[in-house]
Amino acid sequence: MSAVAPLRNDVPAKIRPSDLRRTPLERRALGAGHPAGKTGESHDQPRPHLEVVQHRGRTVSIVAVCCLMLFGLLLGAVAFQTKLAQNQLALDKVEREVTAARSRYDVLRRARAELRSPNRLSVEAAALGMSPAKSGEFMTIDPSAIAAVTAAASGLPNDVSDQKTSNFDQFGTVKAVTADTP
């Protein structure tokens, strides 16, 4: 068995026939004599004039704003895709240049290896009248001999290598010999 809620009794007992012809906003309040309609209003004061306002095209403006926003988003997406395509073309160009530079580097490296090969050097030395070495021994050279050769090759006086001077003194000597030539 189910329980049924009692009906509300706040509905006015008497509805005027003239109220039924009016819209809900135009209906008058029930008078003070009616038990369910005691509103406390006095009949001496004039009631404010109420009007039904026509609904403006607010939905049209909302739809227009939404369409403009959608158009802006689509335009932004097109611009973004265009920028991506341009960057991809530039990236492809750089990748082609890198591939060409790597292949050129490989060709130059191979040519260098061929030029430095011992067989080629011995052929070129024989063509210039040189003979191959009998042994491959290393010799130790005195540091003073290295300094004397370096000084002779650089155009400095021979006594520069014999002196014990600081780096600053050596710089002054070099500048005195070269006479402000860089």
Side-chain angles (χ1 to χ4, degrees):
M1 218 160 118
S2 65
V4 177
L7 294 175
R8 294 179 61 193
N9 290 332
D10 59 347
V11 178
K14 182 178 178 188
I15 299 176
R16 297 183 201 133
S18 62
D19 285 343
L20 292 177
R21 287 187 295 254
R22 297 180 182 165
T23 63
L25 292 177
E26 293 176 339
R27 292 184 185 154
R28 305 180 292 191
L30 294 174
H34 194 276
K38 293 186 181 179
T39 60
E41 293 181 17
S42 66
H43 293 286
D44 298 339
Q45 297 176 352
R47 291 184 50 194
H49 180 68
L50 300 176
E51 291 183 20
V52 177
V53 178
Q54 293 293 329
H55 181 62
R56 294 184 184 190
R58 182 173 165 188
T59 56
V60 173
S61 63
I62 290 174
V63 169
V65 168
C66 289
C67 287
L68 284 175
M69 287 176 55
L70 183 63
F71 178 73
L73 288 173
L74 290 175
L75 190 63
V78 168
F80 180 70
Q81 290 292 333
T82 304
K83 187 66 174 171
L84 280 178
Q86 288 174 347
N87 289 345
Q88 185 63 42
L89 288 174
L91 184 63
D92 290 342
K93 181 182 176 185
V94 169
E95 285 180 354
R96 283 192 302 269
E97 290 174 358
V98 166
T99 304
R102 283 185 180 160
S103 64
R104 178 165 167 73
Y105 173 75
D106 290 339
V107 167
L108 292 175
R109 194 170 151 202
R110 191 176 314 116
R112 179 180 177 264
E114 289 173 3
L115 291 173
R116 294 187 71 188
S117 71
N119 292 336
R120 185 196 162 277
L121 290 176
S122 65
V123 169
E124 290 290 326
L128 293 173
M130 298 179 173
S131 63
K134 305 273 188 239
S135 67
E137 294 179 19
F138 289 99
M139 298 181 351
T140 57
I141 301 175
D142 184 34
S144 63
I146 294 174
V149 170
T150 305
S154 67
L156 293 175
N158 290 338
D159 61 344
V160 171
S161 63
D162 297 336
Q163 299 173 359
K164 296 278 185 185
T165 57
S166 68
N167 290 338
F168 187 71
D169 293 333
Q170 289 175 357
F171 178 75
T173 306
V174 169
K175 278 300 192 178
V177 171
T178 58
D180 295 334
T181 306

